[in-house]
């Protein structure tokens, strides 16, 4: 870059500094993409894969498009009917996603649309929350950054988190929308606590609320709730104040109980569906000899004909909901025994986790993005604002070895500053590594739960949380490197703050 180019860049950054911050620029950029893709024709969304009924009927909505079934998987549908009288459908499963669907329905009725629900009302609700989450993330990522680094990170955030692989979920009834928003808020609140940019009580509340909603958004997130609860315990010792410690302790206990309750409340029907796929699309497909694999679980070898079968297949050797299937097949095993099988059969474990790793870096599913009225082919996907999705799929080595190497490298980069903080007995300065490990462990857990709990059935969507966690941690690490914070100064702005917070040494002395 010559002197003239550097001068022009400096002048541009000076103008930007005067009118808009990097965080605001990132939020504005993502908001613009959401507006263009979801609210301007041709509208972009995601086709139903057959799961919508789980959330629709119990919330007072129903399919009112005559040829809806023929559009499943291939076309996005934006309009749904609203029950006008008694709704006899009870909830098939409890999910925090219901809160957002019900709120969107209330807004729809308040606007006068009480007979037909336009899913774009829900998308607008998600969009506002998402833009706010992106703002907080970039606010934290650009802390103590130069103008050049700050605006560069803002552009990177728009490129990554404005990708259609994320944004398209808002025009759908998939819980991944909730997972995406809450994971961003969870991570951002932790890092803002580390930096002490906002009030600790507000950030602690944001952390707890986003963690609760994330854990209860879908049943497979129950183990992730346990991981987050462990980090929540650290916050008890972040400050010396009794009120803060009681609040943090209560929050940690609630998160722990919520994680346990979320798992316990999984309906038997969905447990059976996942168990079926865990065996037919997991164990049997990875086994060199499916009959021997069935013998490990004490299952009749004739069930080997189910290798590769899907629960929803129109024709099956034995009806999936029959008593014989329940007694002779599904009751013979559970997720712990499947995990034990993989532990004792490393070859099968290697195959299933390589399958998981191969799909873990995809932000997009193969579901169609366009309405049928747009005149696009069945299953057509938009290429607009999908640069990051394609780059990630092409560039990321899709192997379990790369996942392990990525985790080791990231942990190694943050280990020196963590060691210094522990040596200085300062918990706040030590927060970064535990938070990063929380995100990586959550992503790895999502990957493990996906393959052990459901094999390779709809695996790209089941591993969505890993994809988001990977992007967040990688983006944050690059931000710390660019802003020279990786091994540099840490969160406490001045020594006077030690009096209010207390170091670990002071806390230990008081106890």
């Amino acid at each position: 870059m010559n002197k003239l180019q550097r001068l022009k860049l400096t002048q541009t950054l000076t103008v930007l500094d005067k009118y808009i911050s990097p965080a605001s620029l990132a939020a504005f950029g993502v908001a613009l993409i959401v507006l263009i893709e979801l609210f301007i024709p041709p509208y972009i969304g995601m086709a139903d894969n057959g799961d919508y009924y789980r959330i629709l009927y119990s919330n007072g909505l129903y399919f009112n498009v005559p040829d809806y079934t023929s559009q499943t998987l291939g076309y996005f549908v934006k309009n749904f009917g609203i029950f006008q009288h008694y709704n006899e459908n009870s909830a098939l499963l409890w999910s925090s996603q219901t809160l957002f669907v019900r709120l969107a329905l209330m807004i729809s009725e308040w606007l006068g649309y009480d007979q037909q629900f336009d899913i774009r009302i829900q998308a607008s609700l998600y969009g506002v929350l998402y833009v706010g989450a992106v703002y907080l993330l970039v606010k934290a990522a650009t802390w103590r950054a130069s103008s050049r680094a700050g605006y560069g990170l803002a552009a990177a955030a728009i490129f990554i988190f404005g990708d259609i692989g994320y944004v398209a979920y808002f025009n759908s009834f998939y819980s991944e929308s909730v997972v995406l928003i809450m994971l961003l808020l969870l991570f951002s609140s932790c890092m803002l606590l580390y930096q002490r940019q906002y009030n600790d009580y507000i950030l602690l509340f944001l952390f707890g609320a986003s963690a609760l909603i994330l854990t209860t958004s879908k049943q497979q997130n129950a183990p992730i709730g346990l991981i987050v609860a462990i980090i929540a315990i650290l916050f008890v010792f972040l400050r010396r104040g009794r009120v803060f410690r009681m609040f943090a302790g209560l929050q940690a206990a609630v998160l722990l109980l919520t994680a346990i309750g979320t798992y316990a409340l999984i309906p038997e029907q969905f447990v059976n569906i996942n168990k079926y796929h865990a065996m037919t699309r997991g164990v049997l497909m990875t086994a060199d000899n499916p009959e021997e694999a069935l013998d490990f679980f004490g299952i009749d070898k004739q069930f080997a004909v189910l290798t590769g079968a899907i629960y929803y297949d129109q024709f099956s050797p034995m009806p999936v909901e029959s008593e014989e299937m329940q007694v002779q097949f599904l009751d013979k095993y559970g997720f712990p025994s499947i995990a034990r099988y993989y532990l004792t059969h490393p070859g099968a474990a290697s195959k299933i986790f390589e399958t998981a790793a191969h799909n873990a870096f995809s932000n997009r599913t193969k579901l169609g993005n366009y309405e049928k009225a747009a005149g696009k082919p069945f299953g057509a996907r938009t290429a607009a604002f999908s640069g990051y999705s394609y780059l990630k799929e092409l560039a990321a080595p899709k192997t379990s070895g790369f996942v392990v190497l990525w985790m080791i490298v990231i942990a190694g980069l943050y280990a020196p500053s963590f060691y210094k903080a522990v040596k200085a007995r300062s918990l706040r300065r030590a927060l970064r590594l535990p938070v990063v490990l929380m995100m990586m462990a959550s992503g790895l857990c999502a990957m493990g739960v996906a393959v052990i709990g459901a094999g390779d059935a709809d695996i790209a969507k089941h591993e969505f949380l890993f994809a988001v966690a990977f992007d967040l941690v990688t983006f944050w690490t690059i931000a710390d490197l660019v802003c020279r914070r990786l091994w540099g100064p840490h969160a406490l702005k001045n020594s006077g703050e030690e009096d209010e917070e207390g170091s670990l040494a002071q806390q230990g002395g008081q106890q």
Side-chain angles (χ1 to χ4, degrees):
M1 184 181 293
N2 58 40
K3 289 184 178 180
L4 181 59
Q5 290 174 323
R6 283 198 296 269
L7 178 61
K8 288 182 177 179
L9 177 61
T10 302
Q11 291 173 340
T12 301
L13 293 175
T14 301
V15 173
L16 284 173
D17 265 332
K18 186 176 180 180
Y19 294 104
I20 187 170
S21 68
S24 298
L25 180 63
F28 176 78
V30 171
L32 190 60
I33 293 172
V34 169
L35 177 64
I36 293 171
E37 290 298 288
L38 308 188
F39 299 96
I40 297 177
Y43 307 114
I44 299 301
M46 291 183 68
D48 181 7
N49 69 348
D51 285 348
Y52 277 17
Y53 76 96
R54 299 181 181 184
I55 198 74
L56 249 65
Y57 291 126
S58 60
N59 287 298
L61 299 172
Y62 65 93
F63 305 104
N64 65 344
V65 177
D67 60 341
Y68 185 88
T69 304
S70 67
Q71 299 188 47
T72 300
L73 300 177
Y75 289 114
F76 156 56
V77 177
K78 74 175 188 298
N79 294 317
F80 298 84
I82 301 175
F83 282 114
Q84 298 300 300
H85 303 291
Y86 176 68
N87 180 12
E88 63 181 5
N89 299 284
S90 58
L92 294 174
L93 67 148
W94 196 91
S95 167
S96 56
Q97 182 189 0
T98 295
L99 301 175
F100 298 96
V101 175
R102 290 284 179 91
L103 180 56
L105 187 56
M106 287 173 56
I107 295 172
S108 176
E109 293 175 346
W110 179 73
L111 292 174
Y113 302 101
D114 57 354
Q115 294 189 356
Q116 184 167 271
F117 178 74
D118 190 327
I119 200 171
R120 290 174 298 167
I121 294 176
Q122 176 192 264
S124 63
L125 179 61
Y126 283 144
V128 170
L129 292 173
Y130 189 55
V131 168
V134 169
Y135 175 87
L136 292 178
L137 175 65
V138 178
K139 178 74 173 176
T142 56
W143 179 64
R144 293 184 175 177
S146 65
S147 293
R148 181 178 297 185
Y151 289 107
L153 289 170
I158 295 171
F159 179 64
I160 296 171
F161 300 104
D163 190 88
I164 198 64
Y166 286 145
V167 172
Y169 272 105
F170 299 160
N171 262 342
S172 79
F173 284 110
Y174 298 119
S175 59
E176 277 70 21
S177 299
V178 180
V179 170
L180 171 62
I181 295 167
M182 294 306 140
L183 207 59
L184 259 68
L185 289 174
L186 178 71
F187 184 73
S188 301
S189 61
C190 287
M191 287 309 183
L192 288 168
L193 264 171
Y194 154 72
Q195 296 168 352
R196 201 183 176 89
Q197 287 210 55
Y198 296 111
N199 181 275
D200 283 351
Y201 287 92
I202 295 175
L203 292 173
L204 188 64
F205 174 79
L206 181 60
F207 166 82
S210 55
L212 279 173
I213 297 173
L214 173 66
T215 302
T216 55
S217 61
K218 55 195 310 180
Q219 279 65 38
Q220 75 179 63
N221 289 349
I224 293 163
L226 295 176
I227 296 171
V228 176
I230 294 171
I231 298 299
I233 294 172
L234 291 178
F235 295 150
V236 176
F237 307 100
L238 196 63
R239 296 172 64 117
R240 292 202 309 265
R242 180 174 297 180
V243 175
F244 185 88
R245 287 191 168 187
M246 288 178 61
F247 182 30
L250 178 63
Q251 185 170 263
V254 169
L255 285 173
L256 181 63
L257 293 174
T258 300
I260 296 171
T262 298
Y263 180 79
L265 292 174
I266 300 176
E268 184 179 1
Q269 177 187 356
F270 298 120
V271 172
N272 284 343
I273 293 172
N274 289 332
K275 282 175 62 178
Y276 186 87
H277 289 149
M279 182 62 69
T280 64
R281 303 290 307 179
V283 171
L284 297 182
M285 286 184 64
T286 57
D288 293 329
N289 188 321
E291 287 83 2
E292 289 183 5
L294 288 170
D295 189 58
F296 178 89
F297 298 93
I299 300 174
D300 194 303
K301 295 179 180 180
Q302 67 178 334
F303 283 96
V305 299
L306 295 177
T307 301
I310 299 293
Y311 190 88
Y312 302 106
D313 282 342
Q314 187 175 0
F315 302 104
S316 176
M318 182 182 291
V320 292
E321 295 183 355
S322 66
E323 184 177 353
E324 290 82 2
M325 178 69 77
Q326 186 69 46
V327 174
Q328 298 178 33
F329 187 68
L330 295 172
D331 286 348
K332 295 287 187 177
Y333 64 96
F335 301 125
S337 60
I338 290 176
R340 188 169 67 252
Y341 172 82
Y342 284 126
L343 287 172
T344 55
H345 295 76
S350 176
K351 288 180 182 178
I352 196 66
F353 279 102
E354 284 303 322
T355 300
H358 184 77
N359 292 274
F361 298 95
S362 177
N363 289 6
R364 305 189 70 180
T365 67
K366 298 186 184 301
L367 299 169
N369 290 142
Y370 292 98
E371 289 184 280
K372 188 176 182 179
K376 301 288 185 179
F378 184 89
R381 299 190 302 168
T382 179
F385 300 104
S386 60
Y388 180 68
S389 289
Y390 285 117
L391 176 64
K392 192 176 176 182
E393 288 191 28
L394 290 172
K398 303 177 183 65
T399 64
S400 56
F402 173 73
V403 174
V404 173
L405 180 62
W406 170 72
M407 295 179 69
I408 291 173
V409 169
I410 296 294
L413 287 173
Y414 284 103
S417 62
F418 178 76
Y419 173 76
K420 290 179 183 178
V422 171
K423 192 174 180 180
R425 315 280 283 196
S426 175
L427 177 58
R428 192 182 292 265
R429 288 165 55 185
L431 274 180
R432 270 194 313 181
L433 179 59
V435 171
V436 167
L437 290 177
M438 173 189 74
M439 296 299 293
M440 292 195 296
S442 296
L444 196 63
C445 183
M447 185 187 294
V449 169
V451 295
I452 293 174
D456 72 347
D458 207 10
I459 193 169
K461 195 160 75 66
H462 288 165
E463 292 187 306
F464 180 79
L465 193 147
F466 175 86
V468 182
F470 177 85
D471 289 347
L472 280 171
V473 171
T474 303
F475 173 75
W476 183 265
T477 305
I478 292 173
D480 274 344
L481 284 167
V482 169
C483 299
R484 301 179 182 179
R485 297 188 305 246
L486 205 55
W487 302 295
H490 293 285
L492 298 182
K493 294 179 181 178
N494 56 64
S495 59
E497 290 180 358
E498 283 287 359
D499 296 333
E500 182 182 349
E501 298 178 37
S503 65
L504 291 180
Q506 291 172 321
Q507 292 176 17
Q510 288 186 349
Q511 292 168 358

